[in-house]
Amino acid sequence: MSRKVTEIVEELLKDILEQQQLELVDIEFVKEGKNWFLRVFIDKEAGVDIEECGIVSEKLSEKLDEVDPIEQNYFLEVSSPGAERPLKKEKDFLGAIGKHVNVKTYEPIEGSKEFEGTLLSYNEKELTLSIKIKTRTKEISIPTEKVAKARLAVTFS
């Protein structure tokens, strides 16, 4: 099949997640050591529990067996995105405004490729963070096309 595994899995998940009133956060198909892993991260407003992960895993496994889009052996993992949830879609970023985030960029901005601070604003062109540098606070704007990865970040006070 020419389509990427993640695209096929996303399509297979649509009805399953809709029936369970769950949201797809992310899909990864990665090789770690000699094993392949298909990881599906799901969520809902109140958070997901292990039972919901099990239901999605079982239903997705049945559909994957029918369609058989993956040649190699792999492990299927369905879980919550956790406290450090990735930010990928516009609604993820908008929902994270005012929260502590970690952003990695493709290329250095003001000499750095990693930033951690409070997300102040987001639009399709850029996001603005308030970051602490020793004793002072600084605002930095990052063009969205330069964002490699972004996620919520846990802070310990």
Side-chain angles (χ1 to χ4, degrees):
M1 291 193 158
S2 61
R3 290 192 303 161
K4 288 173 54 177
V5 168
T6 55
E7 292 171 358
I8 295 166
V9 172
E10 184 171 358
E11 192 62 37
L12 294 174
L13 278 166
K14 280 186 181 165
D15 289 340
I16 297 168
L17 295 179
E18 193 174 299
Q19 289 168 3
Q20 301 298 316
Q21 297 178 323
L22 297 167
E23 164 196 5
L24 177 63
V25 175
D26 199 9
I27 300 172
E28 296 178 344
F29 185 59
V30 294
K31 187 173 186 182
E32 293 178 1
K34 50 187 166 172
N35 295 315
W36 282 89
F37 292 87
L38 175 59
R39 293 190 177 109
V40 176
F41 299 94
I42 58 174
D43 208 359
K44 67 179 180 190
E45 195 69 35
V48 293
D49 60 32
I50 196 155
E51 187 176 316
E52 290 167 312
C53 292
I55 290 167
V56 171
S57 178
E58 191 175 307
K59 291 182 179 210
L60 177 59
S61 187
E62 289 172 10
K63 286 196 175 200
L64 286 166
D65 287 346
E66 286 172 25
V67 178
D68 199 21
I70 304 171
E71 291 178 19
Q72 58 271 68
N73 292 330
Y74 62 93
F75 294 97
L76 174 61
E77 297 176 355
V78 177
S79 66
S80 147
E84 294 192 335
R85 174 189 179 127
L87 305 173
K88 294 196 167 230
K89 303 172 190 148
E90 179 180 29
K91 78 178 192 87
D92 298 335
F93 283 97
L94 293 174
I97 291 174
K99 296 182 179 168
H100 200 74
V101 299
N102 177 281
V103 177
K104 294 181 181 177
T105 58
Y106 290 112
E107 57 189 60
I109 296 171
E110 294 185 25
S112 185
K113 289 175 70 174
E114 186 167 1
F115 304 91
E116 195 162 305
T118 303
L119 181 61
L120 299 176
S121 66
Y122 173 85
N123 62 47
E124 67 274 352
K125 292 186 191 307
E126 70 179 13
L127 54 95
T128 304
L129 294 179
S130 172
I131 59 172
K132 269 190 129 171
I133 303 169
K134 295 185 182 174
T135 58
R136 63 185 181 94
T137 302
K138 175 182 178 178
E139 285 187 17
I140 187 159
S141 292
I142 302 170
T144 54
E145 77 267 2
K146 292 187 179 181
V147 174
K149 281 187 171 188
R151 62 173 171 75
L152 292 178
V154 175
T155 58
F156 301 96
S157 302

